[in-house]
Amino acid sequence: MADPSDDHRAAFNAYLRENGSRNFTKDTWNLYVEYLRDGVDPAPKAGSNIPANKYSINKRYYWGGSELIYKSGDKITIRQDRIFDTLAFEYARSSYTGRLNFWKEIQQKYHGITMNDTFRFVDDYKKFHLRAATNMSGGRNSADSEGDDAASDERINTSNYVDEPTGPKGRHYPEAYIENLGGSLGRNPPPALEETRRWMGWLRDMRDGDWSKSLEHSRYRDIITGLSTILEAARPANAYVGGGEAPAGLGSASYDSADLLCLTMVEATRELEKSEGPAKPIFIKRDATTMKGLKTIDYYLNFMRDWGAMLKVVAVQDPSRRRDQTSGTTWPVEKVISRFGAVPKPPKQQPPINLLDLDCLETNPTPECFAVEAMNYLPKLRVVGNGIPSEDPTPSWNKVEKWRLLAQGGSGSLTHCDHGGFWTWVKIDEGKKLWLLCQLSEEDWAEFAERGLAFTGGQWSYVWLEPGDVLIMPPGAVHAVFTPENTLCAGGNAWSQKRMGDTMRSIAFETAHPVVTNDEEVVQLSDLLEKTYQRMIVAPLEGYTADFGGEGQMEEFSRYYKVSAQPQPRFAAALTQSRNTSRLAS
């Protein structure tokens, strides 16, 4: 039997030949590179083989060190003989999405690949690969259908298409990886993509299957439906990789266009000292330092058992409750322990629980990068001049600055942002989590403010977290989480003194739209914000404006602090106006 990948490549390359030579054949691409490597001159060089009219390329392209970059959007230029391999890599990476969604991905990253090229590639993939799979199985593969994308494709007028797509800055992928993957498309996708597709299918089957009458209107059904919708539209995160290591399956991106930053602990420390530009999620790959001292689920269950008489009850998120009820409740410690110790029942018989408010036993579990002065602002606010805490170090405070999460496999959290304008860090001890990150347009923010946890719009990307991995999210980061197996992790919250403007903006949004968070309010919040405001008033006089990140962050804090002090219902309207003012100023 012929290899469907070979047939696919041959058919696609025949299509390219039939449609004429592109601007970027190997020869013309090499000429462009020769010119740009030698430097940009306004006039032809003596003896150059490049025609004079080609010297306009210095206005359209630049040499990126290993790739020819198209200036409008900083997209990677793809020559004709590399189109198939590039599409093969991206299609496997996108978990074989529909062709319209796939085109949006290609349009944002590459120059030299048309929409017709993209659609032809997807159609040929289904023709060769899925037909081969059907012949082997003796039946029709359900993936033959176009799904929702087919209807959307018909509304596109391809005659008006110009091959100069716009979008965020392009990403660079290892050339060897692209070329190697192209020949095995459909047979050997990266393990992370394979696992993502498997759980995507599990969520879809759960969503579309029958539900018992007792769970038909449960919160768990809403969670499964929402996560399934989100993951079907999500793609692997595009990461800026510093000296750190990115998880398998992620793409590379420039700093400005990245969904998250993959950094070392030292680089993360420097990043958390910044006060300018948009703050981005940070991923720190597990190493000897982060792997040290990891706890097991059994260890924590034994702690709960040993201290059961003192604990008595534990806060539990029970998604079997109806959607018109709060999911938060309390269970006896022994009931929680028995749930994790027993062989789990199918989720539709016994929805998995999530424990979001557990004590963290370690004295200082925070990542080393959080030791920077700026990230220790919250403890400063709780201390008066003589060094005595301004209020008792209550358990509620301990669970702000450090906590543990324990979740059963199959659980999850819908779209939300963490409360209090906090920076949040999380590290996996045992198990794994699929962390979904969302980027929102102005229209998306308005919809999120209205729908809260039910929001599934926006642009979603994901990253897998495994034992020892650390993820840091800035204030207001919109996210959702799926936990495929029993998982224990540690985490904590902090305020950055240099980014209190970002924090206040997030708090103002949360205050105006309480549906956007799934956390309880910190009762001391208003007092802490008042203290910060008073400190900022005297900061210019006493010479420590830089400690608050400079005038920009201080003005941002003051703007949103004053807005949040207004009585409802004027508050939401004033917040919208302030958000627009802030966006235009930036």
Side-chain angles (χ1 to χ4, degrees):
M1 178 180 294
D3 188 332
S5 294
D6 294 338
D7 291 342
H8 186 188
R9 182 187 294 272
F12 185 81
N13 287 334
Y15 150 78
L16 291 178
R17 289 192 298 271
E18 290 170 4
N19 284 271
S21 179
R22 304 302 177 90
N23 291 333
F24 307 107
T25 63
K26 185 179 295 187
D27 291 338
T28 56
W29 192 89
N30 286 337
L31 286 175
Y32 278 30
V33 171
E34 172 193 332
Y35 170 60
L36 292 170
R37 275 177 172 167
D38 291 340
V40 179
D41 291 332
K45 292 183 178 181
S48 173
N49 292 324
I50 304 179
N53 62 353
K54 295 297 183 182
Y55 280 79
S56 63
I57 65 172
N58 60 6
K59 299 179 181 179
R60 302 180 64 199
Y61 300 93
Y62 67 88
W63 178 244
S66 60
E67 295 285 357
L68 182 66
I69 307 297
Y70 181 65
K71 286 185 177 180
S72 178
D74 286 356
K75 292 179 284 291
I76 296 175
T77 301
I78 303 299
R79 70 191 194 205
Q80 181 173 327
D81 61 313
R82 292 181 177 175
I83 292 178
F84 180 88
D85 289 323
T86 303
L87 291 172
F89 169 77
E90 288 291 347
Y91 198 50
R93 182 173 168 272
S94 67
S95 300
Y96 309 137
T97 184
R99 63 182 188 176
L100 181 57
N101 286 338
F102 184 45
W103 161 241
K104 292 177 181 178
E105 285 288 300
I106 296 300
Q107 184 183 32
Q108 290 180 343
K109 300 174 185 177
Y110 300 110
H111 175 63
I113 303 178
T114 70
M115 182 171 64
N116 290 334
D117 295 344
T118 307
F119 285 3
R120 179 60 179 255
F121 178 91
V122 176
D123 292 343
D124 283 352
Y125 170 80
K126 293 177 178 180
K127 176 181 177 181
F128 292 105
H129 291 268
L130 298 187
R131 183 177 64 187
T134 301
N135 292 339
M136 291 178 65
S137 63
R140 183 180 182 273
N141 192 310
S142 61
D144 281 331
S145 60
E146 280 284 343
D148 293 339
D149 279 332
S152 301
D153 293 342
E154 294 175 358
R155 296 193 293 268
I156 298 176
N157 182 0
T158 59
S159 62
N160 294 329
Y161 171 66
V162 178
D163 187 18
E164 292 187 2
T166 59
K169 292 187 176 181
R171 287 79 170 173
H172 174 69
Y173 302 96
E175 184 173 317
Y177 187 25
I178 293 175
E179 294 180 353
N180 290 339
L181 187 60
S184 58
L185 178 65
R187 298 200 305 273
N188 299 305
L193 296 179
E194 184 64 36
E195 183 165 18
T196 303
R197 285 201 300 273
R198 179 163 61 89
W199 288 110
M200 186 188 301
W202 184 86
L203 287 167
R204 186 188 309 115
D205 291 343
M206 286 281 290
R207 178 194 65 190
D208 297 340
D210 296 329
W211 289 78
S212 65
K213 189 174 182 179
S214 63
L215 295 177
E216 187 175 357
H217 302 290
S218 68
R219 285 184 170 270
Y220 189 56
R221 186 173 188 180
D222 290 346
I223 290 172
I224 291 297
T225 300
L227 288 177
S228 178
T229 302
I230 289 170
L231 189 53
E232 285 179 349
R235 53 168 172 74
N238 289 313
Y240 168 81
V241 182
E245 180 182 352
L250 297 192
S252 297
S254 67
Y255 180 95
D256 291 337
S257 63
D259 299 311
L260 79 164
L261 312 176
C262 293
L263 306 177
T264 64
M265 193 69 72
V266 173
E267 290 171 331
T269 300
R270 291 197 293 265
E271 189 68 23
L272 293 176
E273 288 278 17
K274 293 181 179 179
S275 61
E276 298 180 352
K280 292 177 178 286
I282 298 171
F283 175 89
I284 303 173
K285 186 73 172 175
R286 57 189 177 274
D287 59 18
T289 301
T290 62
M291 294 290 288
K292 185 178 180 180
L294 296 183
K295 306 301 181 185
T296 65
I297 294 174
D298 286 343
Y299 167 86
Y300 201 87
L301 293 177
N302 287 333
F303 159 76
M304 295 174 66
R305 186 178 293 108
D306 293 342
W307 292 89
M310 181 180 295
L311 296 173
K312 293 184 180 179
V313 296
V314 178
V316 172
Q317 296 288 324
D318 180 7
S320 67
R321 295 162 69 89
R322 296 194 313 270
R323 61 171 64 104
D324 60 351
Q325 299 176 317
T326 60
S327 61
T329 183
T330 57
W331 282 14
V333 170
E334 287 302 323
K335 184 177 180 180
V336 172
I337 294 174
S338 65
R339 175 65 74 91
F340 281 90
V343 177
K345 295 181 180 179
K348 286 190 177 180
Q349 293 183 23
Q350 189 181 72
I353 60 173
N354 212 346
L355 285 68
L356 304 177
D357 194 27
L358 297 175
D359 289 304
C360 187
L361 311 180
E362 293 80 359
T363 304
N364 184 22
T366 57
E368 292 178 11
C369 56
F370 265 55
V372 298
E373 186 72 16
M375 301 306 294
N376 282 278
Y377 181 60
L378 202 54
K380 292 180 186 177
L381 289 178
R382 298 191 289 110
V383 176
V384 295
N386 58 6
I388 301 174
S390 56
E391 66 274 317
D392 292 335
T394 59
S396 63
W397 264 116
N398 291 337
K399 290 181 181 179
V400 167
E401 296 175 355
K402 60 177 183 176
W403 33 257
R404 280 199 175 276
L405 309 178
L406 178 60
Q408 282 190 290
S411 61
S413 300
L414 290 173
T415 312
H416 67 283
C417 56
D418 290 344
H419 69 314
F422 288 123
W423 287 77
T424 300
W425 67 268
V426 62
K427 180 172 75 171
I428 306 298
D429 283 86
E430 180 181 349
K432 63 176 60 177
K433 286 183 178 287
L434 180 63
W435 215 272
L436 295 137
L437 305 166
C438 190
Q439 296 184 8
L440 289 77
S441 65
E442 286 298 319
E443 293 77 11
D444 293 330
W445 278 110
E447 183 182 353
F448 178 46
E450 180 179 350
R451 302 192 64 199
L453 304 185
F455 175 78
T456 57
Q459 298 292 320
W460 288 91
S461 60
Y462 62 81
V463 59
W464 283 97
L465 303 183
E466 298 181 336
D469 292 341
V470 176
L471 182 71
I472 299 170
M473 291 188 301
V478 179
H479 62 286
V481 183
F482 175 60
T483 307
E485 61 187 59
N486 290 357
T487 299
L488 175 70
C489 57
N493 300 114
W495 278 352
S496 169
Q497 186 171 357
K498 290 188 174 182
R499 290 253 186 198
M500 287 305 295
D502 297 350
T503 285
M504 191 64 241
R505 181 174 63 248
S506 178
I507 292 172
F509 182 72
E510 172 194 334
T511 305
H513 311 288
V515 295
V516 302
T517 183
N518 62 355
D519 294 306
E520 297 180 359
E521 181 182 358
V522 178
V523 294
Q524 302 96 331
L525 188 62
S526 60
D527 292 338
L528 297 176
L529 295 177
E530 172 64 21
K531 287 182 180 180
T532 298
Y533 183 61
Q534 295 300 328
R535 290 188 178 200
M536 284 189 179
I537 290 176
V538 300
L541 302 176
E542 298 187 3
Y544 56 88
T545 300
D547 291 351
F548 282 107
E551 294 181 357
Q553 285 288 335
M554 292 173 61
E555 290 173 358
E556 189 89 338
F557 181 93
S558 179
R559 178 188 304 118
Y560 286 105
Y561 181 75
K562 292 175 180 178
V563 166
S564 64
Q566 297 186 32
Q568 296 283 6
R570 289 187 297 159
F571 177 68
L575 173 64
T576 301
Q577 181 179 3
S578 185
R579 280 178 56 85
N580 290 337
T581 301
S582 175
R583 179 171 57 86
L584 292 173
S586 62

